[in-house]
Amino acid sequence: MGTFSSLGNHQTTGSVGVAIMAGVGSKLAFQNFETDAAASELTGYLTINGSLEKRTIDLGTLPQTQGSFNVAFPNGTDISYFNTVVVRAGEESIGQAMIP
């Protein structure tokens, strides 16, 4: 699993990995995720090297702002093109983790 590093002035911790679930599809598994960002909603993006300027996949609103949870990526997504997940609170990136 990849470990989150903080971005900006925020503390973001936890880890993320790819969970392949038979019959259900693949998902990103967030474990022990936590941030000090004061946001009621967080969004996630699959990126190449953490850049939001290049090709990205919008994962939408995360189902929780802390804890352990799974986030599905769109059907047909070739996860091998992406190596980093970036989490944002509004327009501010608050954390990122490499996807192993």
Side-chain angles (χ1 to χ4, degrees):
M1 296 196 87
T3 303
F4 272 95
S5 57
S6 302
L7 295 174
N9 295 321
H10 295 285
Q11 245 341 28
T12 303
T13 60
S15 58
V16 67
V18 176
I20 299 172
M21 303 171 166
V24 180
S26 300
K27 299 180 179 194
L28 289 177
F30 288 71
Q31 298 292 315
N32 302 313
F33 179 80
E34 189 171 347
T35 183
D36 65 358
S40 59
E41 289 187 345
L42 300 175
T43 53
Y45 297 88
L46 289 175
T47 70
I48 299 168
N49 299 323
S51 173
L52 294 170
E53 303 300 318
K54 297 179 182 177
R55 183 176 174 187
T56 64
I57 298 290
D58 185 348
L59 299 172
T61 303
L62 300 184
Q64 299 171 211
T65 57
Q66 64 181 13
S68 297
F69 52 90
N70 294 325
V71 175
F73 40 86
N75 287 335
T77 301
D78 185 348
I79 191 74
S80 69
Y81 290 119
F82 305 94
N83 62 359
T84 309
V85 62
V86 174
V87 174
R88 301 189 83 193
E91 296 298 314
E92 182 179 12
S93 297
I94 61 165
Q96 71 179 25
M98 297 294 289
I99 302 169

